[in-house]
Structures are given as structure tokens and as C-alpha cells.
Amino acid sequence: MTAKPKSWAYEDFVEGASLDLGSKVVSAAEIVEFAGEFDPQSMHLDEEAGKASILGGLAASGWHTCAMFMRMLCDAFLLDSTCQGAPGVDQVKWKKPVLAGDQLTGTLVVVAKRLSKSKPQLGFVTMRSELFNQRGESVFELENSVMFLTRDAAGIPA
């Protein structure tokens, strides 16, 4: 059985283009589960503690928000791409609390792209991503470069 070739390669990203990352409803149970494992602060574990904090309710950890963003990115296109990983994250901002019951929607804008000087079969795509809650408020921003193989290197027809 032959694996299906990936659809997204370096050449498919156009500077200024915007991609929809879909949406996700955040449940109280997943906030508590993530926090219990990775960020067991009271505002992430208990509704009353969250209400008593500056966050105003049971709030997802910023790291949980990053993880939810990553899942949205994977589902939107990354799993169907020639992605080779990322050399890091340039910026991440948690702008507003993500509360239980919030519906997140995401967008991504291609900021820049360039081929690697040392590995011409590899390109760097700089992306600026943002998540919004159901009120249209920006709750999260992330900017980073991601490495993608070219279509030729991945064996994808032009």
C-alpha cells in the first residue's frame, strides 16, 4: 500500500495569504485534565478559585491554549503537509483568559517565506497565528517559522 502524497509543500504558501484553522469549544473537563497533568495551579483546576482570580473563571493554562492551537493547526493542514518541524517560536502571547465554554476560532497569515541557503529542498515559512473567542476577542497570538520540503524534494507533482 502506497502512502498518499502530502498536499501542502513549501510552494503552496503565499505571502499575505490567510488560512482558516477551524474552531474548537473548550470544556471544563479538558481544562482540569490538562492542568492536573501539566499546570496544576488552582485557577486551572477549580471554578471558584478561577472566579476569585484575575482570570474570572475556570481558565485554560496558557500551555493548554498552545496545545489546543497546535491541534487546530494540525487538523487544518499541517498533517497533510511536508512539514519538517520548526526551529522555534519567535513570540507567543496569551492576551485574554480562555475560559470553560469558550469557542475558539483560529486564523493564520503567511508573513514571509524563503528557501534554505544550505538545503535548497527545504523552505522556511514564517506564520502569524491568532485565536479568537466567541466574542471576537483575540486570546492568543503566535509567530514562528516552520520548515517545509519543496514539492520536488517530497516527490509531489507540480
Side-chain angles (χ1 to χ4, degrees):
M1 181 193 231
T2 305
K4 176 183 171 267
K6 301 293 184 177
S7 295
W8 288 86
Y10 171 77
E11 293 87 346
D12 298 311
F13 296 94
V14 176
E15 288 183 21
S18 179
L19 298 167
D20 178 9
L21 301 180
S23 67
K24 181 203 183 342
V25 175
V26 183
S27 74
E30 72 180 294
I31 289 174
V32 171
E33 182 180 357
F34 185 95
E37 180 77 14
F38 301 108
D39 192 354
Q41 297 181 73
S42 61
M43 69 285 249
H44 306 315
L45 293 169
D46 178 74
E47 177 73 33
E48 292 309 312
K51 285 180 182 174
S53 77
I54 63 169
L55 301 176
L58 182 65
S61 161
W63 300 113
H64 183 195
T65 303
C66 286
M68 289 185 285
F69 159 75
M70 190 67 204
R71 183 61 202 224
M72 292 169 74
L73 185 70
C74 284
D75 290 347
F77 74 92
L78 203 63
L79 295 178
D80 189 28
S81 77
T82 63
C83 179
Q84 301 297 296
V89 172
D90 300 315
Q91 168 185 286
V92 64
K93 290 183 182 180
W94 299 304
K95 298 173 70 179
K96 286 190 173 288
V98 173
L99 302 174
D102 277 355
Q103 180 168 349
L104 302 178
T105 56
T107 60
L108 175 152
V109 174
V110 177
V111 176
K113 61 186 268 191
R114 67 174 177 83
L115 286 172
S116 170
K117 290 179 179 81
S118 62
K119 295 180 177 140
Q121 75 279 11
L122 190 68
F124 292 87
V125 179
T126 303
M127 304 173 172
R128 184 176 302 121
S129 303
E130 196 165 7
L131 296 179
F132 301 89
N133 63 22
Q134 66 278 6
R135 292 177 297 282
E137 300 168 325
S138 177
V139 298
F140 168 88
E141 288 180 4
L142 182 136
E143 188 167 321
N144 71 319
S145 292
V146 180
M147 299 176 290
F148 293 91
L149 291 176
T150 63
R151 294 185 88 67
D152 187 52
I156 301 172

